[in-house]
Protein backbone atom coordinates (compact mmCIF):
# COMPACT_ATOMS: atom_id res chain seq x y z
CA UNK A 1 0.00 0.00 0.00
CA UNK A 2 2.85 2.36 0.87
CA UNK A 3 4.56 1.77 -2.48
CA UNK A 4 1.45 2.57 -4.49
CA UNK A 5 0.98 5.80 -2.51
CA UNK A 6 4.57 6.86 -3.24
CA UNK A 7 4.23 5.91 -6.91
CA UNK A 8 0.98 7.86 -7.12
CA UNK A 9 2.62 10.96 -5.63
CA UNK A 10 5.57 10.64 -8.03
CA UNK A 11 3.17 10.29 -10.97
CA UNK A 12 1.17 13.36 -9.86
CA UNK A 13 4.43 15.34 -9.48
CA UNK A 14 5.59 14.28 -12.96
CA UNK A 15 2.24 15.12 -14.57
CA UNK A 16 2.05 18.49 -12.84
CA UNK A 17 5.52 19.42 -14.10
CA UNK A 18 4.49 18.55 -17.66
CA UNK A 19 1.23 20.47 -17.32
CA UNK A 20 3.04 23.52 -15.88
CA UNK A 21 5.16 23.95 -19.02
CA UNK A 22 3.93 26.95 -21.00
CA UNK A 23 4.38 27.39 -24.74
CA UNK A 24 5.88 30.61 -26.10
CA UNK A 25 7.43 32.12 -29.18
CA UNK A 26 10.66 33.90 -28.31
CA UNK A 27 12.36 36.48 -30.51
CA UNK A 28 15.31 38.83 -30.09
CA UNK A 29 16.46 41.95 -31.93
CA UNK A 30 19.61 44.05 -31.39
CA UNK A 31 20.40 47.12 -33.51
CA UNK A 32 23.76 48.89 -33.30
CA UNK A 33 24.98 51.92 -35.18
CA UNK A 34 28.64 52.89 -35.10
CA UNK A 35 29.15 50.21 -32.41
CA UNK A 36 26.60 51.73 -30.01
CA UNK A 37 23.48 49.79 -29.07
CA UNK A 38 20.44 51.79 -30.14
CA UNK A 39 17.67 49.23 -29.71
CA UNK A 40 17.35 45.82 -28.08
CA UNK A 41 14.24 43.68 -27.53
CA UNK A 42 13.73 40.22 -26.08
CA UNK A 43 10.10 39.11 -26.42
CA UNK A 44 8.23 36.08 -25.16
CA UNK A 45 4.77 35.77 -26.72
CA UNK A 46 2.34 33.18 -25.42
CA UNK A 47 1.41 30.62 -28.06
CA UNK A 48 -2.28 30.68 -28.89
CA UNK A 49 -2.34 26.95 -29.67
CA UNK A 50 -0.39 24.53 -27.43
CA UNK A 51 2.50 22.71 -29.07
CA UNK A 52 1.90 19.03 -29.69
CA UNK A 53 5.39 17.77 -28.96
CA UNK A 54 7.91 18.10 -26.19
CA UNK A 55 11.01 20.00 -27.24
CA UNK A 56 14.75 19.50 -26.85
CA UNK A 57 16.15 21.02 -23.65
CA UNK A 58 18.45 23.91 -24.52
CA UNK A 59 19.10 25.21 -21.00
CA UNK A 60 18.32 24.94 -17.32
CA UNK A 61 18.48 28.09 -15.20
CA UNK A 62 18.24 28.21 -11.42
CA UNK A 63 15.60 30.78 -10.49
CA UNK A 64 13.02 31.32 -7.78
CA UNK A 65 10.67 33.11 -10.20
CA UNK A 66 7.25 31.62 -10.85
CA UNK A 67 6.19 34.10 -13.52
CA UNK A 68 7.69 34.57 -16.95
CA UNK A 69 7.96 38.37 -16.67
CA UNK A 70 10.10 38.34 -13.51
CA UNK A 71 12.13 35.42 -14.83
CA UNK A 72 13.01 37.34 -18.02
CA UNK A 73 13.99 40.49 -16.11
CA UNK A 74 16.26 38.63 -13.69
CA UNK A 75 17.83 36.17 -16.16
CA UNK A 76 18.00 37.99 -19.50
CA UNK A 77 21.71 37.29 -20.09
CA UNK A 78 21.36 33.57 -19.28
CA UNK A 79 18.36 33.27 -21.60
CA UNK A 80 20.21 35.02 -24.42
CA UNK A 81 23.29 32.81 -24.05
CA UNK A 82 21.05 29.74 -24.42
CA UNK A 83 19.30 31.14 -27.47
CA UNK A 84 22.53 32.28 -29.15
CA UNK A 85 23.83 28.69 -29.00
CA UNK A 86 20.86 27.65 -31.15
CA UNK A 87 21.63 30.20 -33.87
CA UNK A 88 21.37 33.89 -34.63
CA UNK A 89 21.16 35.95 -37.82
CA UNK A 90 23.73 38.73 -38.19
CA UNK A 91 23.45 41.49 -40.78
CA UNK A 92 26.26 44.01 -41.14
CA UNK A 93 26.22 47.11 -43.30
CA UNK A 94 29.03 49.58 -43.68
CA UNK A 95 29.85 52.74 -45.58
CA UNK A 96 33.52 53.42 -46.26
CA UNK A 97 35.27 56.37 -47.79
CA UNK A 98 39.00 56.25 -48.50
CA UNK A 99 39.32 53.06 -46.40
CA UNK A 100 37.81 54.78 -43.34
CA UNK A 101 34.52 53.59 -41.86
CA UNK A 102 31.89 56.32 -42.00
CA UNK A 103 28.88 54.34 -40.90
CA UNK A 104 28.66 50.84 -39.46
CA UNK A 105 25.35 49.09 -38.71
CA UNK A 106 25.02 45.62 -37.21
CA UNK A 107 21.71 43.85 -36.62
CA UNK A 108 21.39 40.62 -34.59
CA UNK A 109 18.13 38.68 -34.88
CA UNK A 110 16.61 35.55 -33.49
CA UNK A 111 13.47 34.92 -35.50
CA UNK A 112 10.35 33.81 -33.58
CA UNK A 113 11.24 30.41 -32.19
CA UNK A 114 8.79 28.05 -30.45
CA UNK A 115 9.90 27.16 -26.90
CA UNK A 116 8.43 25.59 -23.80
CA UNK A 117 9.23 27.17 -20.43
CA UNK A 118 8.83 24.89 -17.42
CA UNK A 119 9.02 26.29 -13.86
CA UNK A 120 10.09 23.46 -11.55
CA UNK A 121 10.86 24.21 -7.87
CA UNK A 122 13.68 26.72 -8.37
CA UNK A 123 14.77 25.39 -11.77
CA UNK A 124 13.50 26.77 -15.07
CA UNK A 125 13.86 24.50 -18.08
CA UNK A 126 13.66 25.96 -21.58
CA UNK A 127 12.99 23.53 -24.42
CA UNK A 128 13.13 24.36 -28.14
CA UNK A 129 10.39 22.82 -30.28
CA UNK A 130 11.65 21.35 -33.54
Amino acid sequence: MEKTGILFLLLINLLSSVVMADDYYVSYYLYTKNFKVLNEKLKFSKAMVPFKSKGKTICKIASNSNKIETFIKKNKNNILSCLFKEGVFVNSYGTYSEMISKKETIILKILPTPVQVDFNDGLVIIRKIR
Side-chain angles (χ1 to χ4, degrees):
M1 187 68 174
E2 236 176 84
K3 287 182 182 179
T4 52
I6 292 172
L7 288 174
F8 180 72
L9 288 176
L10 287 174
L11 181 62
I12 293 289
N13 190 18
L14 177 67
L15 288 175
S16 67
S17 69
V18 171
V19 171
M20 294 296 285
D22 289 326
D23 299 335
Y24 294 94
Y25 286 95
V26 62
S27 62
Y28 178 71
Y29 177 83
L30 175 76
Y31 177 77
T32 66
K33 188 171 185 179
N34 295 331
F35 305 104
K36 294 179 186 172
V37 176
L38 296 181
N39 195 2
E40 179 184 33
K41 292 182 183 177
L42 174 63
K43 291 185 179 180
F44 277 78
S45 300
K46 185 93 167 139
M48 295 180 80
V49 178
F51 302 136
K52 296 184 186 210
S53 64
K54 188 174 179 179
K56 174 191 135 198
T57 301
I58 58 172
C59 66
K60 297 177 182 179
I61 301 171
S63 176
N64 293 330
S65 301
N66 290 330
K67 295 185 178 181
I68 192 74
E69 294 85 13
T70 56
F71 171 68
I72 294 169
K73 286 180 185 177
K74 291 181 180 178
N75 299 290
K76 182 179 176 181
N77 291 335
N78 292 335
I79 295 168
L80 287 175
S81 68
C82 292
L83 295 173
F84 284 160
K85 290 177 190 174
E86 294 298 310
V88 63
F89 289 102
V90 179
N91 295 330
S92 177
Y93 308 99
T95 304
Y96 297 91
S97 175
E98 297 177 8
M99 301 299 285
I100 298 173
S101 177
K102 298 292 183 186
K103 181 179 170 186
E104 185 72 30
T105 303
I106 299 173
I107 300 170
L108 289 167
K109 286 183 190 177
I110 296 176
L111 298 178
T113 305
V115 296
Q116 290 176 329
V117 180
D118 186 9
F119 293 94
N120 243 351
D121 297 328
L123 185 67
V124 179
I125 301 169
I126 298 176
R127 294 181 188 94
K128 182 177 177 184
I129 306 297
R130 300 276 173 193

